[in-house]
Amino acid sequence: MTITGEYSATVECGSKSSSIAFGAFAGKSKPHVRYDISIFLGEQGGSVLRMISTTSGMAAGLIGMNRERKLFAQWRSMLNAALPH
């Protein structure tokens, strides 16, 4: 995790070079993903947490793209469950 501002950060894990070199064979456990996370004030008060995927998984082809989408959905669900509504 790298702090990029007072209320923002970038989270990156996995090996970008392995994903490019080995594509879908890089493995499920270490796909390269990068998410930008920011927190800001919502229009009707309260805080809004925004998580944006800045990787597509395209380096690993269609399989990698599907893995990235599933991983993003899992992280979004975990964040949603952990934060108050």
Side-chain angles (χ1 to χ4, degrees), residues 22-69:
F22 301 112
F25 299 108
K28 286 184 178 182
S29 62
K30 294 186 181 183
H32 176 257
V33 293
R34 180 180 167 164
Y35 304 129
D36 289 337
I37 299 172
S38 57
I39 301 172
F40 56 93
L41 185 62
E43 290 180 13
Q44 298 178 0
S47 297
V48 176
L49 182 130
R50 179 178 292 157
M51 184 172 101
I52 300 171
S53 175
T54 56
T55 55
S56 65
M58 193 177 294
L62 289 175
I63 293 171
M65 291 170 67
N66 285 331
R67 282 184 190 155
E68 195 284 327
R69 276 185 241 154

